């Protein structure tokens, strides 16, 4: 049977991230399962839908490329993440703080592509910019260490319709200004 991953959103955490179980299946048999979260702290969680995780595109720490703002450049397969990645200006970044030791790109079938991954994390707070975070890295480590990995596997994300994003995500709205009473009196 082909491998498949599911992420079923079932709750929220104190950061307003959607939480749930991320499960690696072989047909109907569970191989690995772990708790995960997505979004929170004002960021949207990953959209419901089917994504493709390419296990035939592999990169070790030498494939890590840092932007000068401290972000890690995109990688479209499964990638080991380094703790000392140097950007073009010579600055060193610990990419494992945000990504853990392995990340795997969740490639959507079309647009929009938000650049989401399945990854670990060393930072203490439980929110992401929309990726799916499994702090334990149970699934990504298992996939990385497969002796004969498949070319790609599907990742099915569901459960998002059970949550009102308007309640979870802060809106980017300017605060209302109070009227200046002095100016109001002058106009009369």
């Amino acid at each position: 049977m082909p491998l498949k991953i599911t992420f079923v959103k079932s709750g929220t955490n104190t950061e307003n991230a959607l939480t749930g179980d991320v499960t690696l299946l072989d047909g109907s048999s569970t191989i690995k399962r772990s708790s995960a979260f997505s979004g929170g702290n004002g960021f949207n969680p990953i959209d419901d839908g089917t994504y493709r995780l390419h296990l035939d595109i592999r990169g070790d720490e030498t494939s890590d490329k840092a932007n000068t703002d401290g972000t890690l450049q995109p990688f479209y397969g499964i990638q080991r993440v380094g703790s000392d990645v140097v950007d073009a200006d010579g600055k060193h970044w610990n990419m494992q703080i945000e990504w853990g030791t392995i990340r795997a790109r969740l490639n959507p079938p079309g647009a929009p592509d938000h650049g989401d991954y399945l990854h670990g994390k060393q930072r203490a707070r439980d929110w992401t910019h929309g990726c799916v975070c499994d702090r334990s890295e149970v699934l990504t480590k298992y996939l990385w260490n497969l002796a004969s990995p498949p070319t790609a596997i599907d990742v099915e994300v569901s459960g998002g319709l059970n949550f009102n994003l308007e309640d979870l995500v802060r809106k980017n709205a300017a605060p209302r200004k109070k009227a200046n009473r002095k100016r109001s009196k002058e106009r009369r």
Side-chain angles (χ1 to χ4, degrees):
M1 295 299 268
L3 296 177
K4 175 175 82 173
I5 294 175
T6 61
F7 176 52
V8 180
K9 304 166 193 168
S10 59
T12 59
N13 65 20
T14 59
E15 305 275 356
N16 279 342
L18 292 185
T19 60
D21 287 335
V22 61
T23 307
L24 176 62
L25 300 160
D26 186 355
S28 61
S29 300
T30 298
I31 297 173
K32 299 284 180 185
R33 175 177 283 146
S34 185
S35 297
F37 55 89
S38 178
N41 196 35
F43 293 96
N44 288 330
I46 190 168
D47 293 334
D48 287 3
T50 301
Y51 300 82
R52 195 85 167 147
L53 194 154
H54 293 281
L55 297 176
D56 60 336
I57 304 171
R58 299 174 69 81
D60 60 14
E61 289 90 345
T62 62
S63 67
D64 296 342
K65 304 291 182 231
N67 295 311
T68 55
D69 65 357
T71 57
L72 192 56
Q73 291 182 8
F75 189 85
Y76 295 93
I78 187 167
Q79 178 184 40
R80 299 223 19 112
V81 178
S83 61
D84 185 24
V85 181
V86 182
D87 68 20
D89 293 339
K91 187 170 182 182
H92 295 256
W93 302 92
N94 180 355
M95 294 299 180
Q96 292 180 358
I97 291 171
E98 289 298 325
W99 297 103
T101 62
I102 301 173
R103 68 178 184 164
R105 179 68 177 244
L106 299 172
N107 299 286
D113 183 349
H114 301 294
D116 296 322
Y117 293 81
L118 172 62
H119 63 80
K121 182 179 290 285
Q122 294 176 352
R123 178 175 44 83
R125 296 187 60 194
D126 289 338
W127 60 272
T128 69
H129 290 94
C131 297
V132 177
C133 178
D134 163 22
R135 281 192 181 281
S136 69
E137 298 184 325
V138 167
L139 275 72
T140 53
K141 286 180 181 178
Y142 180 86
L143 294 171
W144 181 264
N145 290 318
L146 282 173
S148 298
T151 302
I153 61 175
D154 286 334
V155 179
E156 293 178 5
V157 177
S158 64
L161 295 178
N162 298 327
F163 301 92
N164 182 356
L165 285 181
E166 297 295 324
D167 294 337
L168 296 173
V169 179
R170 291 188 305 255
K171 295 181 181 172
N172 185 13
R176 288 186 163 178
K177 294 181 180 180
K178 293 182 180 179
N180 185 333
R181 291 185 180 186
K182 184 178 178 183
R183 283 189 183 166
S184 297
K185 289 179 184 178
E186 290 174 358
R187 290 182 185 162
R188 290 184 190 167

